[in-house]
Amino acid sequence: MKTILVHLDGGDPTDRLRHARRLAEAFGARLVGLFAERARAQVVGSIATWPSPAYVAAAEASHRLFEAETAGLTASEWRDANRGGDEEVARAVVAAAHGADLVVLGKDRGGIDHASVPPGLAERVVLEAGRPCLVLPAGGPFSVPPRRALVAWNGSRGAVRALCDAMPLMVGAEEVVLLTIGAIDGQVEADALRRFADHGLTVRVESLPEGWLAVADLVLARAADNGADLLVMGGHEPGGLSWIQRPNGARRALAETTLPLFMSH
């Protein structure tokens, strides 16, 4: 892991940025901070000008924060998306994510609670960027490495991607809980356990019956019960049906998580 992208906005991304810095230090990675937030052009009469003074001020504040929080880091870079529309902001973050090994995002809180970020931004980056994403709720600090990780596992392509992509983040954890969902082929489960063992990780297996509506709620509840400080899950199910498209799937996990959520699609 050599390049980490962290999304910055005019809210309060300080905890997110600090966690991204800790990850960059742990992996010897370059940290790229991308300032991208929704904003309107300045309109005087019938003439619109961009960027507006408000946007410029927010970008400058973001740059100062990034420079202060990354002081002493071996390699860091701040970028300005210089776009304000919801679609433009989302595209800018997705495009920047293509050059990163890991994308650090804030938890989706909706347009009312977090007006500077387009609603559903984290979900869109997970689905479109093709890169592993770590979605952080407000607060912190979060441990690097995590003390206990919970991996939601059903043997699907998305689950395999998430498990493999998250492995570097889990190395050094005290324990990993492999939460199997539904009927899992014995050899597939054995291969997953062997992968953990190959990386020196202690694994405990728990099981959940496969359910249509309550999977995300059950996974989040098990993560809380186990005292997990990292949740790993895939963003896609077999047959082309995304957990995100399900009424209570990954979209709900993105909205409701109270711990760092690692997701691959």
Side-chain angles (χ1 to χ4, degrees):
M1 190 179 300
K2 293 303 178 183
T3 301
I4 296 173
L5 175 73
V6 57
H7 172 240
L8 307 171
D9 60 85
D12 186 5
T14 304
D15 291 328
R16 188 189 323 156
L17 176 54
R18 289 176 178 172
H19 189 70
R21 176 188 173 129
R22 287 193 291 271
L23 289 170
E25 289 176 328
F27 290 99
R30 181 169 66 106
L31 181 60
V32 178
L34 177 68
F35 177 73
E37 72 170 21
R38 63 198 316 201
R40 295 184 178 183
Q42 183 180 31
V43 179
V44 179
S46 60
I47 300 175
T49 58
W50 178 266
S52 68
Y55 181 91
V56 171
E60 290 176 347
S62 172
H63 195 181
R64 289 193 299 270
L65 174 66
F66 185 81
E67 291 296 317
E69 293 295 338
T70 59
L73 199 60
T74 302
S76 61
E77 175 188 355
W78 180 87
R79 300 177 187 173
D80 180 5
N82 197 25
R83 295 291 186 271
D86 283 10
E87 182 67 18
E88 294 175 314
V89 169
R91 286 180 178 176
V93 179
V94 169
H98 291 162
D101 298 307
L102 176 68
V103 184
V104 181
L105 302 160
K107 171 184 170 182
D108 282 341
R109 289 189 283 165
I112 295 176
D113 294 331
H114 204 189
S116 62
V117 176
L121 178 64
E123 175 185 330
R124 182 158 178 184
V125 177
V126 167
L127 287 176
E128 297 183 14
R131 307 307 303 142
C133 295
L134 180 63
V135 180
L136 301 177
F142 304 112
S143 299
V144 178
R147 289 182 294 275
R148 180 174 291 108
L150 185 139
V151 180
W153 175 260
N154 63 357
S156 68
R157 180 187 69 83
V160 172
R161 278 284 314 272
L163 186 155
C164 295
D165 289 345
M167 193 64 72
L169 296 182
M170 294 188 286
V171 170
E174 296 175 7
E175 183 184 49
V176 175
V177 177
L178 184 67
L179 181 63
T180 63
I181 301 167
I184 305 294
D185 179 83
Q187 187 60 57
V188 171
E189 181 176 325
D191 289 342
L193 294 174
R194 186 177 299 111
R195 180 176 292 274
F196 285 113
D198 289 344
H199 287 83
L201 289 165
T202 301
V203 186
R204 176 165 52 84
V205 179
E206 295 187 4
S207 300
L208 280 178
E210 185 172 20
W212 182 254
L213 294 178
V215 171
D217 286 340
L218 291 170
V219 170
L220 290 169
R222 285 293 184 93
D225 291 344
N226 280 284
D229 54 356
L230 177 66
L231 172 58
V232 177
M233 65 187 298
H236 196 272
E237 284 283 82
L241 184 60
S242 169
W243 281 24
I244 285 175
Q245 293 171 319
R246 294 185 174 189
N248 205 12
R251 176 177 292 165
R252 183 168 180 82
L254 285 166
E256 300 296 333
T257 186
T258 58
L259 70 160
L261 170 60
F262 183 99
M263 190 172 287
S264 291
H265 174 66

